[in-house]
């Protein structure tokens, strides 16, 4: 299994038979190395409804027919746009043909702002535990630090964790270091930084300070083989 970081919270996972995009925020992120018209996922996983996570989901899924897995309200909203969706919610897991998805808690908001500036409530935000080919990836989504991360770390053998470090909208680096201690992943990759002026961070500083597991910065477009 291969995990590729494409900026912000966008992580691509390639398994032997599947291409999975988590939070495909592409056209709105000038730092992203992808072209929303060129990607070909068969699965899109969404952590929550914010526009910097839903991103280009509707256009990509309409073009590719990708299955969109999302928290209930968001999945329902996207199904009304004609997408092929699967609704889940926190604490729930499901075994798909591409792997197992479990939604964890995330301490954040979840709404989608449409083109008419309506703020649409999208239920609870989540993090995602994804397992396939004997490996487990934790994508924390957008979240502040919360104590139950210790349980997530105790109950799962996490090979690779993507943790937000941007501060302001999510955990900052200091809290993310505590999160890394609790999650106990082998490899910790920082995400959700530098995209906006309010979330500028030095990811190398964070990665060097990771005490539990190995901190590793993935440049945009860089991948890790698990
Ligand atoms: Ni958010
Ligand atoms: Mn965000």
């Amino acid at each position: 299994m291969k995990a590729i970081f494409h900026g912000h919270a966008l992580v691509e996972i390639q398994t032997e038979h599947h291409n999975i995009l988590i939070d495909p925020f592409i056209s709105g992120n000038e730092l992203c190395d992808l072209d929303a018209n060129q990607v070909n996922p068969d699965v899109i996983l969404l952590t929550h409804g914010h526009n910097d996570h839903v991103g280009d989901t509707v256009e990509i899924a309409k073009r590719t027919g990708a299955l969109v897995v999302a928290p209930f309200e968001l999945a329902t909203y996207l199904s009304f746009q004609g997408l092929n969706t699967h609704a889940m919610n926190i604490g729930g897991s499901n075994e798909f043909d591409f792997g197992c998805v479990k939604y964890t808690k995330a301490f954040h908001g979840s709404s989608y702002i449409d083109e008419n500036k309506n703020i649409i409530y999208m239920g609870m935000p989540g993090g995602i535990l994804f397992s396939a080919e004997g490996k487990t990836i934790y994508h924390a989504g957008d979240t502040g630090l919360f104590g139950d991360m210790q349980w997530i770390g105790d109950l799962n053998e996490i090979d690779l964790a993507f943790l937000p470090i941007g501060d302001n909208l999510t955990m900052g680096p200091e809290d993310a270091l505590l999160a890394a201690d609790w999650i106990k992943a082998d490899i910790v990759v920082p995400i959700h930084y530098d995209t906006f002026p309010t979330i500028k961070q030095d990811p190398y500083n964070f990665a060097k300070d990771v005490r539990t597991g190995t901190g590793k910065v993935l440049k945009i477009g860089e991948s890790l083989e698990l």
Side-chain angles (χ1 to χ4, degrees), residues 87-145:
M88 294 186 68
N89 217 325
I90 290 167
S93 62
N94 193 57
E95 198 74 54
F96 295 90
D97 64 345
F98 59 86
C100 185
V101 175
K102 182 170 185 175
Y103 273 87
T104 66
K105 162 168 144 183
F107 244 64
H108 193 64
S110 183
S111 58
Y112 184 77
I113 303 175
D114 72 7
E115 56 281 2
N116 300 315
K117 297 188 179 167
N118 293 307
I119 299 181
I120 305 167
Y121 168 71
M122 287 299 174
M124 294 280 280
I128 291 172
L129 281 163
F130 174 73
S131 304
E133 299 175 343
K135 303 287 180 184
T136 297
I137 293 175
Y138 173 57
H139 186 300
D142 280 1
T143 187
L145 183 67

Side-chain angles (χ1 to χ4, degrees), residues 48 50 52-53 108-109 142 192:
H48 66 295
H50 285 157
D52 61 318
H53 296 258
H108 193 64
D142 280 1
H192 212 274

